[in-house]
Amino acid sequence: CALPISNKVKQRNTYIELLRIILMQFILWLHIWGHGTSNLSIFLIGSPHMAPFIVMLKLGVTGFIFITAWGGGNFYIKKVIHLLVISLFYSTSIYIIFWQHTDIYSIIKSFFPLNNQGWWYIQCYLFLLMLLPFINYGWNKISESIKFFLFILTFFYCYIDGFISASNSIDLKYFICVYIISRYILQDKIQNFFRQKSEVYAIVSLLSLLLLAYIICKFFPNQYLIKMIISNNNVLLLALIYFITISISKHSLNSPFINKLASGTLAAYLITEHNLIRTPLNAYLFNLSLYSITLALLISSTILISCILIEITRTLLCKGIDIKITNQIEKLTNKIVNT
């Protein structure tokens, strides 16, 4: 039977954690071409053989939102505090390390990282977390007919209107839409319908995604069409992550080591997408990819592993501090509420 979505926390499955690591690697690889080129669609017109690979890498953002819904979308104060603490740590640390390449005003702004580092994903994810208690409460109270109506409405907005418009949505509205759609299709009755042959559906979704990208870039080299197919609003991305997740959920594995590695993936995004690192890093990797794509990908993978190890080290060194900060904020919150 399908794993239910409820207010209870699902037992941690290392296969899902491995998927997190892979998705973050996809994001880092995508940024080589996303940030390294001035216009990705024009690049793909000249390099149609890269289109299937690039569009597959777009799975990252949709995948992380879907996994949030897969886990039940529970809200924890500690999770929000951790997100704020880790963002503040890497924002200020990187500016301090590279202080010679910046100014005092940038260092001051680094203490307010959510609006000053270009971390659009962190901004959207934080606000999604804050809205989850309201979304989940309402979702559990409304009727099935209203759920279906909301599913159709958000699906149309995100994957029909957004796709035809080639929006490549990267805002909070997109996060909310994908979350609501995911909550709906993760219902037991829908999972049960696809579960038995989920691996087949995953392969079909993947091949459809790759072939469509190649055919459009090779035989219909139009910027508008290419922007459509490589946008986050491509429904084949959601279908692929849906069937992959269902397929791997049939198997269970608990590896504390891999789980620990997966917990450090967010640091890779924060470090590589920092204002002082993003442009020079991806420009270097893109130029390197023109010589050797394999070498550029390997270096990017090495960077991912390094960032994860940095975060694990930070966690070990600052564990007591993180816990104290979290506990103090929770105590203060409870004290204010109970006053």
Side-chain angles (χ1 to χ4, degrees):
C1 63
L3 294 175
I5 294 293
S6 67
N7 291 327
K8 296 182 179 179
V9 182
K10 290 183 176 180
Q11 185 177 2
R12 200 168 186 182
N13 186 343
T14 296
Y15 289 118
I16 300 296
E17 301 307 307
L18 276 172
L19 181 59
R20 290 179 189 271
I21 297 174
I22 294 171
L23 291 175
M24 183 53 70
Q25 181 64 84
F26 279 8
I27 289 174
L28 265 59
W29 281 346
L30 177 65
H31 287 168
I32 296 175
W33 289 272
H35 295 319
T37 60
S38 57
N39 191 314
L40 183 57
S41 58
I42 292 179
F43 170 78
L44 291 177
I45 290 176
S47 307
H49 62 282
M50 288 291 296
F53 180 62
I54 296 295
V55 77
M56 183 181 68
L57 300 183
K58 296 287 289 188
L59 190 65
V61 173
T62 301
F64 274 111
I65 303 172
F66 181 83
I67 289 176
T68 299
W70 174 265
N74 297 284
F75 176 84
Y76 299 103
I77 293 178
K78 291 183 178 180
K79 189 173 185 178
V80 174
I81 295 173
H82 171 73
L83 184 63
L84 294 173
V85 169
I86 190 177
S87 298
L88 178 62
F89 175 84
Y90 286 108
S91 174
T92 55
S93 298
I94 293 174
Y95 265 110
I96 291 172
I97 292 172
F98 296 101
W99 65 271
Q100 291 179 315
H101 302 279
T102 184
D103 53 57
I104 185 63
Y105 302 106
S106 297
I107 294 177
I108 292 174
K109 288 195 298 182
S110 72
F111 288 90
F112 305 91
L114 297 180
N115 288 303
N116 293 303
Q117 297 305 337
W119 290 333
W120 69 266
Y121 176 85
I122 298 298
Q123 296 173 11
C124 294
Y125 185 61
L126 175 62
F127 277 93
L128 177 63
L129 289 179
M130 291 191 291
L131 290 173
L132 284 183
F134 306 100
I135 297 175
N136 291 336
Y137 179 81
W139 187 262
N140 294 328
K141 293 292 183 180
I142 61 178
S143 65
E144 289 300 318
S145 59
I146 296 179
K147 288 180 181 178
F148 180 71
F149 175 78
L150 290 176
F151 164 73
I152 294 297
L153 184 64
T154 52
F155 187 90
F156 177 84
Y157 174 81
C158 187
Y159 290 113
I160 297 179
D161 186 277
F163 180 71
I164 293 175
S165 303
S167 300
N168 192 35
S169 300
I170 53 172
D171 54 19
L172 180 59
K173 291 179 292 184
Y174 169 72
F175 274 53
I176 294 174
C177 286
V178 174
Y179 180 79
I180 291 175
I181 294 168
S182 300
R183 282 298 301 264
Y184 187 84
I185 61 179
L186 282 171
Q187 293 182 100
D188 287 357
K189 59 183 179 182
I190 299 179
Q191 280 198 64
N192 289 335
F193 181 81
F194 293 109
R195 191 171 181 80
Q196 187 175 359
K197 297 182 179 180
S198 59
E199 293 86 355
V200 175
Y201 296 132
I203 294 173
V204 171
S205 299
L206 176 61
L207 292 178
S208 300
L209 183 68
L210 302 183
L211 286 174
L212 185 60
Y214 179 77
I215 290 172
I216 287 179
C217 290
K218 179 67 176 179
F219 302 105
F220 305 95
N222 178 277
Q223 280 196 65
Y224 176 74
L225 293 178
I226 295 175
K227 286 180 179 179
M228 286 176 62
I229 197 64
I230 64 172
S231 75
N232 288 326
N233 305 82
N234 187 337
V235 71
L236 288 174
L237 295 171
L238 180 65
L240 180 57
I241 192 64
Y242 178 67
F243 295 126
I244 288 176
T245 307
I246 292 178
S247 298
I248 64 178
S249 72
K250 297 177 183 179
H251 312 281
S252 181
L253 175 67
N254 183 22
S255 170
F257 174 72
I258 296 177
N259 293 345
K260 188 65 176 178
L261 292 178
S263 67
T265 52
L266 182 60
Y269 172 83
L270 294 172
I271 294 172
T272 59
E273 280 295 286
H274 192 279
N275 278 339
L276 294 179
I277 296 178
R278 179 192 309 116
T279 301
L281 171 64
N282 290 293
Y284 166 75
L285 291 175
F286 175 73
N287 290 330
L288 182 62
S289 71
L290 299 177
Y291 168 74
S292 173
I293 292 178
T294 301
L295 183 57
L297 297 179
L298 286 174
I299 291 177
S300 179
S301 298
T302 303
I303 291 172
L304 172 63
I305 296 172
S306 301
C307 292
I308 289 174
L309 294 178
I310 290 172
E311 172 58 15
I312 291 175
T313 303
R314 186 203 69 84
T315 302
L316 293 174
L317 295 176
C318 303
K319 185 174 182 180
I321 299 175
D322 286 358
I323 293 174
K324 286 181 180 179
I325 293 174
T326 302
N327 291 340
Q328 287 299 319
I329 293 177
E330 283 189 313
K331 286 180 181 179
L332 179 61
T333 303
N334 292 330
K335 184 176 180 180
I336 294 173
V337 171
N338 296 325
T339 299

